[in-house]
Amino acid sequence: MNKDEIKKRKAEIEEQRKALSSKIEKGEISNEDAEKAIAELKARKAELDQEIAMAESPDTTETRTAFDFSEVTNALIEKRAITIPTELGGQALIGQIVEEMKAKTPLLNLVSVYTGTNAKTTIPLLQPGLAVPVGGEQGAKNIAEDSTAKLDAVEVLPRPFMSLLPVSIETIKFDKVGFAQKLPSLFAEAFAQCYHKQIISGRGDSHKEFEGLGSLTFKSEKTINAAASGKVTVMDLANLALEIADKTDTGYIILNPAIYSKILADSPEKDLSAVYLKTLIETKSIEGVKVILTSHMLKDAGGGKVVAIAGDLKKFGMGIAGEIDITPKAKVGDTNVYFEAVMHANGKPIINDFYALKAKA
């Protein structure tokens, strides 16, 4: 319905309202009929108001889906570089890649991810944390401040990460496998493992990498030491799980498979250890805390080394710029075209509230 039709219907309703008011004043209509007519006019006016609101609201349905793969395909065939900025659907493409990445690696689906507008954007990552409520008398003035409470923005400046994709000219030119539509999945496969590794073992700004969990300095009160030297047992892991289970309902423990195997080997198969082992093997959880096994986690079980990291992974923030650059590179005598895709991302703990299990020195 266009604006002229809406205006016409609005005028009709107003005329009917005036006519009804006149009949009520003259007593030409019963109370029951008047109430019914008033209710009908109100319903019609409400419908009209809704249509007016819809007609006047901006149409944003194309914002996320405006990306046109033909531009990428043409650029690849012509062997020219292309930047897909936000206004040309770059953020929509990045969004597809991020969703694909989340499905491919467990950590990317658990950390806080924010997509900005472009590579130059400094991305705010909010970590809401309110003070724990305390009781007090009316008019109390000495309520202690909770120093761990936080509602702030942590900024990360996205850094470039590159992936090289070799593609035959026949594939591009004849689109044998729906190549353009497969781009999100292809890039997601490449970048997913990269970012997964960065979250755990990134070495920080000095190496132009994420500030990974493995590079954290863990507070003494958030460090659990194994009970026996040279061993890491399931009881040690249970102590770590109990520490974070008391603080959050969404905590996870990250382990290297090599450390996991060592725990299974070092733990006695009796008493409570046997119960924990059975649960750990069958459900990959302990004391209700899920365990994530990944080869990117630290695996040195030497004395004083961190063998497991635990906490609420939402407290790790990852920013991804909503822009992607694709540059073709050719080699002499090679019919393939090598497309270098560049995505900009960075990540760091929003708040250092993570726990560590260390092997006893």
Side-chain angles (χ1 to χ4, degrees):
M1 184 181 299
N2 58 40
K3 289 184 178 180
D4 290 337
E5 290 174 342
I6 290 174
K7 184 184 279 189
K8 183 179 178 182
R9 281 185 58 184
K10 197 171 182 180
E12 289 174 356
I13 291 174
E14 180 61 23
E15 287 298 321
Q16 290 175 20
R17 186 194 66 78
K18 289 179 180 179
L20 181 59
S21 297
S22 178
K23 285 185 179 181
I24 293 172
E25 288 176 3
K26 295 177 181 178
E28 296 177 353
I29 187 171
S30 67
N31 289 338
E32 185 179 346
D33 289 342
E35 288 178 2
K36 189 183 294 185
I38 290 171
E40 185 181 335
L41 283 175
K42 283 183 177 179
R44 288 172 60 191
K45 186 177 183 301
E47 289 178 6
L48 189 61
D49 288 341
Q50 188 174 11
E51 289 189 27
I52 292 171
M54 290 176 64
E56 294 179 349
S57 64
D59 182 10
T60 59
T61 54
E62 293 299 314
T63 302
R64 290 277 300 169
T65 58
F67 180 68
D68 183 5
F69 282 105
S70 63
E71 175 63 18
V72 177
T73 305
N74 292 337
L76 299 185
I77 291 173
E78 295 164 14
K79 298 184 183 180
R80 60 181 170 84
I82 180 172
T83 296
I84 309 169
T86 302
E87 60 270 19
L88 293 181
Q91 193 149 344
L93 177 57
I94 293 294
Q96 291 178 51
I97 293 173
V98 170
E99 289 307 310
E100 290 264 3
M101 286 194 300
K102 286 181 178 181
K104 295 175 186 297
T105 56
L107 289 185
L108 291 174
N109 203 30
L110 298 173
V111 301
S112 299
V113 179
Y114 184 94
T115 305
T117 53
N118 56 56
K120 296 179 181 178
T121 301
T122 300
I123 299 171
L125 296 163
L126 295 177
Q127 167 54 36
L130 301 180
V132 177
V134 296
E137 296 180 359
Q138 184 174 348
K141 299 179 181 178
N142 59 345
I143 298 174
E145 179 183 355
D146 186 342
S147 60
T148 63
K150 187 174 184 180
L151 183 58
D152 202 357
V154 173
E155 296 181 336
V156 294
L157 183 63
R159 296 186 179 282
F161 287 86
M162 279 112 2
S163 175
L164 206 60
L165 176 67
V167 184
S168 70
I169 192 63
E170 290 84 6
T171 296
I172 301 168
K173 191 170 183 180
F174 301 110
D175 199 23
K176 291 181 179 178
V177 291
F179 172 70
Q181 279 68 33
K182 290 181 182 291
L183 277 177
S185 181
L186 290 169
F187 289 141
E189 191 74 46
F191 286 104
Q193 287 301 322
C194 168
Y195 294 150
H196 177 82
K197 180 180 179 180
Q198 287 291 313
I199 290 170
I200 298 170
S201 55
R203 296 171 295 174
D205 286 341
S206 60
H207 292 84
K208 295 180 173 56
E209 296 179 355
F210 286 20
E211 185 182 326
L213 294 172
S215 65
L216 286 175
T217 300
F218 296 94
K219 301 173 185 176
S220 58
E221 65 271 20
K222 296 182 185 295
T223 302
I224 310 298
N225 292 297
S229 181
K231 289 185 177 181
V232 182
T233 70
V234 73
M235 294 304 296
D236 298 322
L237 198 64
N239 289 335
L240 176 64
L242 288 168
E243 280 291 333
I244 65 166
D246 182 50
K247 309 295 190 303
T248 176
D249 293 330
T250 56
Y252 289 84
I253 295 173
I254 307 172
L255 275 178
N256 189 292
I259 300 296
Y260 174 76
S261 297
K262 180 174 176 57
I263 289 172
L264 298 185
D266 289 349
S267 301
E269 295 182 25
K270 62 180 182 179
D271 303 327
L272 186 55
S273 287
V275 177
Y276 279 140
L277 282 173
K278 186 176 186 297
T279 305
L280 180 61
I281 293 169
E282 292 179 354
T283 68
K284 295 299 179 287
S285 67
I286 184 165
E287 287 293 346
V289 179
K290 288 289 185 182
V291 175
I292 296 173
L293 300 178
T294 171
S295 60
H296 297 309
M297 181 56 191
L298 309 170
K299 64 177 180 179
D300 186 351
K305 296 293 185 180
V306 173
V307 294
I309 296 174
D312 184 353
L313 292 173
K314 286 296 180 187
K315 292 180 180 178
F316 187 97
M318 177 177 169
I320 302 178
E323 182 175 287
I324 186 167
D325 300 304
I326 304 173
T327 306
K329 297 187 175 182
K331 293 182 181 179
V332 176
D334 191 336
T335 59
N336 289 322
V337 180
Y338 294 82
F339 292 98
E340 184 180 77
V342 181
M343 282 177 62
H344 293 76
N346 205 345
K348 65 192 298 185
I350 301 170
I351 181 171
N352 186 357
D353 194 28
F354 293 91
Y355 288 73
L357 173 62
K358 285 187 176 182
K360 188 173 182 179

